[in-house]
């Protein structure tokens, strides 16, 4: 409910994102439906291995191979594709058919999402041409696991938060963050995982992607006099992460919504040569 109110606010403030925010609105309603319907554990976690895994920098759910029964996430993914199909008929119909027929393996899509093959030069060129368009299918592949992974967060998130996890990728599912927030009087930085919804503490002066701690090669920029939003960049690995800081307004940011509402920051970072 709060998320939907936040979306309405952003639609007013950022009308050029209205279509994407409306898609997100539909996703959040669908997500809630599927979360309620889930009645089994899709990603079982072995309790006795938790401490050792986290101490060794390994997330609780391992996607280095995808041997899970993904019947429910697959059904959610097909429901998500209908959102895109409704807007652009024919765009995703073929994919839906191939997944239903078994010509495309949903488990393979998930595996490739976590273990992308190295980009060939022509892929890089194609990517640059496409960077104006927002990849809905990619978003839906990530989203399809969210209700099932949120169950893992519900059960184990509290215990994970108490550990000394110091990696820049998510301790629940291993996904890299795209956005984070600054909280509390000390200005603690938390990173957010769009894949499972978990947030974890991470050092302010450290790149989440390469671990660089050299202050002179870490920087940030803000835009349009709005200091609630900034982009932390690393000049060692040329990566970036968006950060929100709502401490002055005492709002609780909804980082799923903020990630979409700050796409202009992604474009800006890309233009400046950061990935």
């Amino acid at each position: 409910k709060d998320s939907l109110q936040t979306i309405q606010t952003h639609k007013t403030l950022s009308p050029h994102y209205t279509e994407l925010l409306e898609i997100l609105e539909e996703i959040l309603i669908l997500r809630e439906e599927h979360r309620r319907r889930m009645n089994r554990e899709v990603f079982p976690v072995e309790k006795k291995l938790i401490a050792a895994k986290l101490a060794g920098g390994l997330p609780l759910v391992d996607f280095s191979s995808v041997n899970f029964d993904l019947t429910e996430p697959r059904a959610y993914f097909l429901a998500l594709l209908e959102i895109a199909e409704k807007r652009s008929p024919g765009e995703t119909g073929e994919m839906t058919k191939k997944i239903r027929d078994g010509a495309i393996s949903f488990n393979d899509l998930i595996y490739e999402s976590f273990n992308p093959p190295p980009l060939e030069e022509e892929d890089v060129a194609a990517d640059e041409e496409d960077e104006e368009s927002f990849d809905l299918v990619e978003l839906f592949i990530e989203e399809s696991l969210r209700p099932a992974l949120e169950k893992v967060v519900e059960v184990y998130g509290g215990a994970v938060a108490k550990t000394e996890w110091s990696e820049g990728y998510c301790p629940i599912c291993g996904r890299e963050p795209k956005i984070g927030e600054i909280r509390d009087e000390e200005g603690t930085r938390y990173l957010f995982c769009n894949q499972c919804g978990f947030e974890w503490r991470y050092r302010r002066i450290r790149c989440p992607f390469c671990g660089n701690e050299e202050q002179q090669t870490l920087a940030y920029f803000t835009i349009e006099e709005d200091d609630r939003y900034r982009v932390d960049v690393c000049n060692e690995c040329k990566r970036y992460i968006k950060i929100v800081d709502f401490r002055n307004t005492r709002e609780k940011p909804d980082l799923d919504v903020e990630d979409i509402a700050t796409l202009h920051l992604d474009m800006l970072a890309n233009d400046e040569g950061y990935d």
Side-chain angles (χ1 to χ4, degrees):
K1 202 173 164 185
D2 290 347
S3 303
L4 298 178
Q5 282 172 341
T6 308
I7 288 173
Q8 291 310 323
T9 306
H10 275 298
K11 275 195 211 168
T12 310
L13 296 172
S14 314
H16 50 296
Y17 287 142
T18 297
E19 192 184 354
L20 278 176
L21 290 165
E22 280 173 357
I23 289 171
L24 183 61
E25 215 164 9
E26 288 186 61
I27 289 172
L28 294 179
I29 292 164
L30 208 53
R31 181 194 293 173
E32 192 51 41
E33 278 173 32
H34 278 261
R35 188 167 36 206
R36 283 208 198 107
R37 257 186 258 156
M38 287 193 70
N39 52 16
R40 64 182 188 87
E41 200 178 35
V42 176
F43 300 113
V45 172
E46 283 192 65
K47 285 192 185 135
K48 62 177 188 293
L49 295 180
I50 291 176
K53 273 188 147 186
L54 294 173
L58 297 172
L60 297 192
V61 183
D62 177 13
F63 285 98
S64 59
S65 65
V66 180
N67 301 320
F68 310 105
D69 175 358
L70 298 182
T71 309
E72 288 179 356
R74 180 177 173 273
Y76 182 33
F77 181 60
L78 290 170
L80 287 164
L81 286 179
E82 286 172 24
I83 294 174
E85 187 62 18
K86 203 168 55 185
R87 284 178 155 73
S88 313
E91 290 272 309
T92 53
E94 189 62 27
M95 184 176 214
T96 302
K97 186 176 179 301
K98 285 181 174 171
I99 289 172
R100 289 193 193 283
D101 296 348
I104 292 177
S105 156
F106 178 66
N107 284 49
D108 287 352
L109 290 178
I110 296 300
Y111 176 80
E112 280 167 26
S113 164
F114 279 90
N115 307 279
L119 276 179
E120 302 292 331
E121 272 179 41
E122 55 267 29
D123 294 340
V124 174
D127 264 9
E128 281 166 7
E129 279 172 36
D130 290 350
E131 69 181 18
E132 290 303 307
S133 69
F134 189 76
D135 193 340
L136 273 185
V137 172
E138 207 173 285
L139 176 72
F140 292 161
I141 289 170
E142 189 174 275
E143 174 62 31
S144 67
L145 303 180
R146 179 73 176 259
L149 284 168
E150 280 185 351
K151 296 277 185 193
V152 180
V153 173
E154 273 170 35
V155 177
Y156 302 106
V160 172
K162 293 189 180 84
T163 66
E164 296 296 304
W165 183 263
S166 59
E167 307 297 341
Y169 48 87
C170 176
I172 301 289
C173 67
R175 183 74 82 185
E176 288 184 336
K178 301 176 200 166
I179 194 165
E181 66 171 308
I182 300 296
R183 277 197 227 154
D184 63 42
E185 283 171 23
E186 285 76 49
T188 311
R189 181 166 68 157
Y190 283 79
L191 306 183
F192 175 74
C193 178
N194 294 70
Q195 180 67 80
C196 68
F198 188 67
E199 279 190 80
W200 68 102
R201 291 167 66 124
Y202 194 75
R203 286 187 57 182
R204 281 282 288 266
I205 311 296
R206 189 181 201 189
C207 170
F209 308 109
C210 71
N212 173 30
E213 294 180 353
E214 294 296 323
Q215 212 155 346
Q216 57 270 39
T217 52
L218 293 167
Y220 70 89
F221 62 82
T222 57
I223 57 155
E224 292 169 6
E225 313 302 312
D226 190 349
D227 58 2
R228 295 178 308 150
Y229 298 99
R230 66 164 211 243
V231 180
D232 288 359
V233 300
C234 173
N235 288 312
E236 280 296 313
C237 67
K238 303 302 281 183
R239 301 278 304 272
Y240 75 93
I241 184 165
K242 299 180 291 188
I243 297 292
V244 304
D245 183 350
F246 284 6
R247 288 174 300 168
N248 286 344
T249 57
R250 302 195 182 285
E251 294 167 82
K252 171 80 183 90
D254 183 310
L255 294 175
D256 279 319
V257 180
E258 295 301 335
D259 186 36
I260 297 286
T262 53
L263 284 173
H264 53 292
L265 295 179
D266 294 285
M267 290 174 199
L268 212 65
N270 293 157
D271 288 346
E272 294 292 327
Y274 298 99
D275 295 324

